[in-house]
Every structure is written in C-alpha cells, then in structure tokens.
Amino acid sequence: MTQIFLHENWKFKRTDEDIFHNATVPGSVFQDLIDNKLMEDPYYRNNEDKAKEFMNYDYEYITEFSSSSFDSYMAASEVFLRFEMVDTLADIYLNDMLLGSPNNMHLSYEYPVKKLLKDENKLRVVFHSPIKYIKEKFKEDPLLGTEDCTRGFPHLRKAHYMFGWDWGPRLADMGLQRPVSLLFAEKARLSDFYIIQDHSDGVTIKISGSSQVLDNTTGSSVNVKYTVTAPDSNVIGKDIPVNKEFKIPDPQLWWPNGYGDQPLYTVEIDLFDNETEKLLDSQTKRIGLRTMEISTEKDEYGSEFAHKVNGVKIFAMGADYIPQDNILPRVNKERTRTLLKHCKDSNFNCIRVWGGGYYPEDDFFDICDELGLVVWQDLMFACAVYRLTEDFERTITEEIYQNVTRIRHHASLGLWCGNNEMELFVGQEHWGAKNTLKSDYVKMYEYLFPRLLKNLDPQTFYWCASPSSGGGFDDPNDENRGDAHYWEVWHGNQPFTAYRQFHFRYLSEFGFQSFPSVKTIETFTEPKDRNIFSYVMEKHQRNNAANGKIMNYMSQTFLYPESLKDVVYYSQLLQAEAIKYGVEHFRRNRGRCMGTVYWQLNDCWPVASWASIDYYGRWKALQYYAKRFFAPLLISCEERGFLDQCLSVNDEIDELVKSIKIYVSNETMQNRDVIAVWQLRNSKAEILRQENSLLTVEALTSEFVQEEVFDDIDIHENYVSFALIDHDTDELLSEGTVLFCPPKHFNFADPGLTFTVNGDEITVSSSAYAKSVEIRNENDDLLLSDNYFDLNAESKTVKILSGEPKNIAVRSI
C-alpha cells in the first residue's frame, strides 16, 4: 500500500469572510491565525480573552491537487482519503461531495474515494465552532464536569483541557492536527494484528489478526508473513507465517529505566498476493520482550498495587504528563524527546498520561520504549459525567479500538486506566451524577471498557479509574488498596509532614504549586504586571486563590520576600521540599508503598502551576530535587522538630522532640555495600558530632539505619547533614541536610558564596552552611548536572549540560 500526503497548497478563511489565507497542514486554526498576523499571541498578558472569540466562528480549509501526480498508483483496488486527527466538528468534501462529518478528535477517519477522484481535485474541510456546539448541547442536556472548564465540555469528544483546567487556558482550537493522506491499496491491506508474547518457556511471539480484502474479482488469495530483527539489526526469523509461534533465540529482555537495558526488536508484517507473490502491504513495529503486570496481591495491610516487570516488582518513580501545548502544531518529536529525556535523566522509570488530554502520538511511545519509561495510559475521560447514548457508545467504542490497537505493541505500555478521578467524584454524586448518570458510569468503566480491553489487549492490565480501589465506588481513595490521589498538602493546607501519616499503596497524584522562572514570567507580562496579584499574573494562575496559598505556605517557611525573584525562588523551594517530603517517606516504606507519581511534569502554556518543568523547558527546583530523591540509591532523613509539633512560635509545648531517623533505599537489582554518615553541625557547618554505619542494603529494599535523639541542641543554631558513600569506590551516592525549625528562624551565617567557571564546569564554594544553592545565568536557561543543593562549608562542581555560563549569579537561603 502506498501513502501520499496531502500537505501542500492549503488555504483557510472564516466562513463569514471572503479572503483566503495561507494555511499549514498538519496544523490548527490558532497557529494559522498567528502565522498570518490575524491574531496576537494568545499566551501574552490577557490575550486569551481575545483569542477565545475566534473560536465562536466556523472556518473553511481548502486545497487542490492533481491526480496526474499519482497516476501510477491509480490501478489500486481502492483509494482511501485518511485524516489522522480532525479537531473536532467538521464536514469533509471532495469535489463537492460530502464524505462525512467527523465529531471525535480522538479518531482517525478514512473514506473510499477512488470513484470520486478526477484529474483535478478540490478537498474542502469546514470546521464548526466547538464553543457554540457545547453551549447549545448544554442547554439541551446540562451535563456537568470540573468548574475549570467551559460548561458543556463533556458533550464533545475533544481534548478536555482545551476548554480550560486549573493549570490551563480556555483555548479550544480546531484544525487538521495530524497528517492527511491518500492510501492506495491493491487487492488487500493489513488491518488489525496483535503481537502476543509468551514467556513461560524462553520467549516466543505470535502474531494474530486479519487483513482487509478489497478485490475478490480475481479469485486470488493473500497471505501474511512476518520477519523478526534483533536489536543488533541481524534478522533472526524470516517469512514466518502469521499465527505461527516463533521462539526468540537468546532473548534480550526490556527493562524500565534503572533496572536494565531497553533492547528493541523489529517485527515486519508483510501481506503478499499468493498468485504474483507481490508485496501488497507492510507494517513495521518495534517491540520489547518483557512481561508487564500490575500485582494486586493481598497482604497484611490490604492489597498491594505494584508494576511487575519480568517478575520483578519495581517502585514507580515519575510524574503526570499533560499535553505539551494548547496549540498542538508546536509539539514535535524533538520537543517530546527533550522532555522525556529530562525524565530519564532525573531517574524516572514511569510516566502517567493523564486522561484530560489526547492519546499521544506514536513518537511519544517510541521514545518511552527507548528510554525505559513505563507508561500509565489513561483513556481520555476526566472529571466529568457522560451520558451513555447509543451514539456516544458507538464513538467511544471506536475510539478505544483505534487507539488501543495503535499503542498496544509498545514495550513501555504499563496499563490502561479508564478515567481520571471520576469514580471518586461520581461516587460522591458531584456534577449531578445521580441515577442514570451514575449507572452509565458503571456501564462504561466497569463493563464496556474492560470487555473491550480484554478482547483488544488481554496482555495489558486494565484499571477502572484513578484513584480507585478496584471499582464499585468502594472507597476509591483507600490508603490500603489500589492507587490514591492525596491533596491535603496543598488543597487542604496541611504541612509537608502530613505525608508521613499515610502509607498509600501507589500515589498517582500529589503536588504543590510554584511560579515559573522570572524569565518565563517576562515572556507574558509587561513590567507593570510583575506582581503575583496583578490581573495578568492571576490570569496565568488557574487554581483559585493559589497565589495566596503559595504566600501562606511561604510565610510559614521563609522571611518576607523582597522581590519577584525572591518570590519565585522561595515558591520553587517550597514545591521541591513538599514533594521531597512525600517521595522520601514513601520510598522509606517500599513494599507497602510501590509508587510515587507526582503532579505534574510539564505545562501547556506559561503559567504558575504544579509543573516541575515550565512551558519553555526550564527546570524548576523540583526537577533537580526529583533527580536526587528518585536516585537509585538514596539516603533520607526523617527529622522531628518544630514543623511536625508546632503551628506557631507561641505554641505552648512541654518538650520539643528533636531527632532524626536515617534510612537507605536501594532501587537497583544488586545488593550494595555502603557507608551511611550523619553529622550534627552548627551554622558555620562545623561538625559537633558524627557517626558512620557500614551496611549491606539488599536489592529492591529500603532499610532503617538508626535513630538519634538530640536533647541538648539549639534548633536555631544546629542542623544535621547526611551522606551515602559507596564502600568499594568512595563514590558519593546521595546526600542532604535537615533543619529542626523553619528556615526563616534558623540563624544562618553568611556563607560567602563564590564560584568559578572552567569550561563546561561551575564550582561553587561556601565558608558556612549554605542551603538550597541556586546557580543561574542571565537568561535562566542553564541546565546543570545539579542545582538547588546544600553546601557544608565546602565546594561542589557541577557540569553545564546546556546553556551559556554568562553573567552567572549564585544565591542560597
């Protein structure tokens, strides 16, 4: 089968206007309006309000093409016109003939057009306003969902975040967001093929499926064979009949990042004409040899929830991924790879694709396969109620069929999840979810979807919702079963130490907000806007009253900030410390807890949010912290002091407990001999007391090392540093410090920070204790091997991974 893309000579206009403008396909209305200078940047200041108005209109896209450019293919049995993503409501015409009216962004659409093609052809796509559509539908049937979205959004199978979220703008774009092409198929073509792995005796694979016969007039038959190529590019199996097993010689297993390598085999599936032996169609897929399960075994606490890869239970470490942009043409393979490479480099082994966006492109999964990132894949249903009409069931069934069959072969695919947060809120009858709507929920996620997934992808685990304890509205956020979302730290205004009250089996959402880099803020503000309570800054903060919440936590932790730079710095440290408290606590309880996936990895526009990497790819402090608290070998310290025992300096307390507990976590596949060190120090970083412990930490465990009580210390003058050292090589594996009071109450000595630059290295030195040392350049685009670290009157050298070391500045708390 031959594919020819139709990406040239497109033009567009508003349907109520006469003048056409140049358009880009794949692309979108917003991007075309911007490119033609018909619309200002919707991300700048409060331009979102103006941009929204453009989506109240309909738009027409046209292109013309000549059949002479593909005359040699016109002998094909059939020609299909294929649209890989139509966003969302459209009428498609070829030579003035209506082919169809797509209404689901998550579907690809194909139309047989051989009989409609002429020497000269005109393709026309008319897009209809999604805003008007959902407004009218909401009047007819007021289906509800999250209040952060435009009302009526559940009525349209369009990426929900485009209608707004508590981190995203209301910019409901439209357009031909993925390729448009003609497919020339001769006699037959490949359709649905499933690669089955069996690891019971070595590794065997088998391909099952069918082909679509297009021409029965000749009486000829077709056959399907497949070829397997090893990671070293050597062919190890050729022309194997479909449905016949093939045993992989010397199989190389695929592992998540941190547990082993990611070898990928290539499987080429070929369709031949039996009479002529002509190749009619071919598909190529890359696979990893692995078993991938979710263990829900019962134990003394309840039921575990753990990724089990090749028989090994791994501790999931990662973040929640949202769409990378509200204007999708700006997303490309290079940008996606950069983001996911940041994850790998930060010791992630897992990433959760959240259910309010869209099913990612093939590139996303290819990159996750290569980097060893296990993908928790939500189906695209989030924070809403849906009415299960016949038409709705028909379109979501096709949606799941298309996307599951497209994605299921990927080594990185860890599980399918039915929805985001709907069992939790529908069970509480939020959004008017009573009677038939509640019944429809159960039908969709606990009957229809698991039945579809069992048929389409029986080798991948299906989980009905996130969070969930297994369905049936049975305490979906139960601490002792399934996965949980915990938001009391942040939404509930609880202190960071509140994480230590819980032992969730798998925490798939928890987060804390911060502001992006000042340089990022400058991209969407004028100087007069650069106050966090200005109109523009609040337009770029979608969680109600969140800027005040950040300042409330800040007031409990730091001295009053004197500039916007200080506000940003402190906010990012708050965010990083909050998530660090949670992750380190749950890693200390490995076995009972088996996953920490924080909210959220990235942004879709420049905004104050929970992201650890901002819209422009700048790492916040949290991303550097994540690299450390997700380290394969981690030393962590559970301190007791002011934060877990007092709310105010005026609280009356009989005796403040001042203590530490030292733990070592080993998330590698080998036992490790290590030395755990702690030191009690004063503000000048002088050592007052210290202890070393030599221990062997078994693979895939966390071990308690010791507890120490400090009755006689001054919490405003003393702190504890700790480090983990490899016994055999003296390599420093992990380190940190803890205070026993808020930083604002600690009597820091002036650390006298200095730095030198030598090639691609920066060395920072201090003469006293320096906490959370930040290194930045003028454009704040340095990517370093480490940042926001502590110094104990010492020097530390970091590598420059990207960016220019011009006008370097350093600071600490």
Side-chain angles (χ1 to χ4, degrees), residues 635-639 658-664 674-682 685-695 704-713 718-725 732 734-738 740 792:
I635 187 170
S636 65
C637 177
E638 181 182 317
E639 90 294 343
K658 296 158 287 187
S659 67
I660 59 169
K661 290 181 180 178
I662 301 293
Y663 294 81
V664 175
V674 296
I675 302 170
V677 183
W678 65 263
Q679 298 107 354
L680 177 67
R681 298 176 183 258
N682 61 23
E686 295 167 338
I687 297 174
L688 309 177
R689 194 189 318 171
Q690 67 178 336
E691 287 192 23
N692 299 349
S693 299
L694 174 63
L695 63 153
F704 170 70
V705 179
Q706 76 174 97
E707 180 177 13
E708 189 73 17
V709 178
F710 304 104
D711 293 324
D712 55 347
I713 67 168
N718 300 128
Y719 74 100
V720 168
S721 62
F722 48 91
L724 188 68
I725 300 166
L732 178 63
S734 175
E735 63 179 335
T737 70
V738 292
F740 298 97
N792 302 301

Side-chain angles (χ1 to χ4, degrees), residues 165-213:
W165 218 264
D166 57 2
W167 36 257
R170 291 177 176 146
L171 293 172
D173 204 355
M174 46 181 142
L176 298 170
Q177 303 273 22
R178 287 181 182 167
V180 179
S181 62
L182 288 172
L183 304 176
F184 297 85
E186 185 178 348
K187 294 188 179 180
R189 65 173 182 165
L190 297 170
S191 53
D192 178 13
F193 284 86
Y194 186 40
I195 303 173
I196 303 165
Q197 297 187 28
D198 183 350
H199 290 245
S200 59
D201 180 18
V203 180
T204 60
I205 64 170
K206 184 174 74 171
I207 297 179
S208 64
S210 60
S211 55
Q212 179 185 6
V213 176

Side-chain angles (χ1 to χ4, degrees), residues 192-340:
D192 178 13
F193 284 86
Y194 186 40
I195 303 173
I196 303 165
Q197 297 187 28
D198 183 350
H199 290 245
S200 59
D201 180 18
V203 180
T204 60
I205 64 170
K206 184 174 74 171
I207 297 179
S208 64
S210 60
S211 55
Q212 179 185 6
V213 176
L214 303 171
D215 182 1
N216 291 315
T217 59
T218 63
S220 65
S221 60
V222 296
N223 69 86
V224 181
K225 299 177 182 179
Y226 65 99
T227 297
V228 183
T229 303
D232 63 3
S233 299
N234 285 321
V235 174
I236 56 175
K238 188 171 178 61
D239 293 338
I240 307 160
V242 73
N243 292 317
K244 182 178 180 180
E245 289 186 348
F246 174 71
K247 188 163 188 176
I248 305 290
D250 301 317
Q252 303 172 51
L253 296 184
W254 183 96
W255 290 95
N257 182 38
Y259 300 88
D261 296 330
Q262 293 80 44
L264 295 171
Y265 290 74
T266 301
V267 179
E268 183 179 346
I269 308 169
D270 295 323
L271 175 70
F272 294 95
D273 184 324
N274 270 344
E275 289 186 352
T276 64
E277 298 185 356
K278 182 179 180 180
L279 178 65
L280 301 177
D281 197 5
S282 182
Q283 292 181 7
T284 300
K285 300 181 185 295
R286 290 191 311 171
I287 65 170
L289 306 179
R290 89 290 186 269
T291 60
M292 183 79 75
E293 308 166 74
I294 294 291
S295 174
T296 57
E297 294 178 5
K298 292 189 180 299
D299 58 21
E300 59 186 302
Y301 308 109
S303 299
E304 71 176 1
F305 195 92
H307 295 284
K308 190 175 181 181
V309 185
N310 301 325
V312 176
K313 295 175 185 176
I314 70 168
F315 188 99
M317 301 186 290
D320 295 283
Y321 166 90
I322 65 168
Q324 295 173 61
D325 215 302
N326 258 82
I327 301 175
L328 291 187
R330 297 178 177 180
V331 180
N332 54 47
K333 185 175 183 178
E334 291 72 26
R335 183 175 169 186
T336 299
R337 180 176 290 280
T338 297
L339 180 64
L340 294 176

Side-chain angles (χ1 to χ4, degrees), residues 39 92 106 116 144 199 216 286 301 312 401 470 510 655 674:
M39 186 179 86
I92 298 175
H106 307 300
L116 299 177
L144 299 175
H199 290 245
N216 291 315
R286 290 191 311 171
Y301 308 109
V312 176
Y401 170 80
F510 64 114
E655 183 177 1
V674 296

